[in-house]
Amino acid sequence: MSVRLRLVLNLLAWAVFIPVLNLLFTSLERNRILTTSGLSVSIIAGTLVLWLGLIYWRCVPSTANLAVRFAYLAIYLTVALLLGIAALWGAFWVTVLIYGL
């Protein structure tokens, strides 16, 4: 598997996991099993950020040139931000479709 394909698949898995987590925690909260508090949301957000860091560390190729490395980081963070926004938008609409407003 090429490095580019591995990077794309890992980022897509990360983006798909955001709506899945949203549905899981919404169903737990609606069934009164677990209340979504600031602590649980911050733990989930921290885990997602750590996952992004692990993807960057494992999948983005390293170079000797520092300028190229910073360019890779900037591109990676931009793509991850756009994917995260799209995943949050999708999570909202999936939740609305399943549970309503």
Side-chain angles (χ1 to χ4, degrees):
M1 180 182 298
S2 72
V3 174
R4 289 180 188 165
L5 181 62
R6 190 171 61 216
L7 177 63
V8 168
L9 289 177
N10 276 302
L11 281 175
L12 287 177
W14 176 81
V16 166
F17 199 65
I18 292 172
V20 170
L21 275 175
N22 186 26
L23 286 177
L24 173 72
F25 276 90
T26 302
S27 67
L28 288 175
E29 186 173 14
R30 289 203 177 237
N31 291 323
R32 301 185 202 294
I33 296 172
L34 176 72
T35 59
T36 307
S37 66
L39 179 64
S40 62
V41 171
S42 63
I43 289 173
I44 293 167
T47 304
L48 287 171
V49 169
L50 286 175
W51 189 5
L52 270 182
L54 183 67
I55 292 170
Y56 181 78
W57 177 60
R58 296 287 297 155
C59 297
V60 175
S62 62
T63 63
N65 190 351
L66 197 58
V68 173
R69 189 70 176 166
F70 280 129
Y72 283 168
L73 179 63
I75 292 168
Y76 177 78
L77 290 176
T78 303
V79 169
L81 179 68
L82 292 175
L83 275 174
I85 290 170
L88 286 174
W89 182 79
F92 170 76
W93 285 110
V94 167
T95 304
V96 167
L97 287 173
I98 293 174
Y99 296 108
L101 290 175

